[in-house]
Amino acid sequence: MGKNKLRKFADMKQIGFVYEYPFARLEAEGFPLRGKWGDEVFGNSNPITLELGCGKGEYTVGLARRFPERNFIGIDIKGARMWSGATQAQREGLANVAFLRTSIELLDSFFASGEVAEIWITFPDPQMKKVRKRLTSTRFMELYRKVLRPGGIINLKTDSPFLYTYTREMVALNTLPLLSGSADLYAEAGLQGPLTEIRTHYERQWLDRGLTIKYLSFVLPAEGNLAEPEIEIEHDTYRSYSRGYIECPQLLTETHKNDETRTISGADN
């Protein structure tokens, strides 16, 4: 582990609103703040919003600035990433921010039933080959139900046409109440505001390359069977920034396209 990463982990141990709970201890004792985030972490009963796979925590901190009447928790398995958001929140003295280092699969070990009002899923891996790993799959919807209050809201912001199409079809098939949606968020005048004001590092890079950002917001009812859409969806034609070399064939000249395609041939999205 590099010195810079070790320094970041050391920094976060000194920040009171960053939580990390070893799995062995979690399994043996349970998480002591489960069901008590409002009272013991934030000192209020304001609605709690989670950002799953928060990365650097840009959305967590950005939303917390704009909505001081709500509480926000960024969740990611990679602690060195969230150092940026945690230290920024500390510098600004934001009292409605916390960060939790854990796997999303363990969500209900850290939050009680009905403790969460809203979930943000920002630019996740689309997992085009593995339905069960998609953060908007019905498997994860069932997990979110365990912590969301009745009428809880799911928000997805993605650069992936594949994930946007899949999620839209999942919502439609299961007749989940759709609150808002756009295949090109920044072209929708009616959706301007925090949705477009907060831009992650990678989102800005996608926009600079002319790619569109997609958005869906829907209600996840507490009950009812959920079915997976059985449709063929065209795979994305580029690679995620966080997963190595980038290919954007729709933006490349014919001269470079063949060489760049060969560079990532056989790679798993």
Side-chain angles (χ1 to χ4, degrees), residues 82-103:
M82 64 177 66
W83 173 88
S84 178
T87 53
Q88 184 65 37
Q90 184 181 50
R91 283 194 298 269
E92 295 184 26
L94 295 174
N96 61 333
V97 173
F99 287 91
L100 172 65
R101 185 185 179 197
T102 190
S103 167

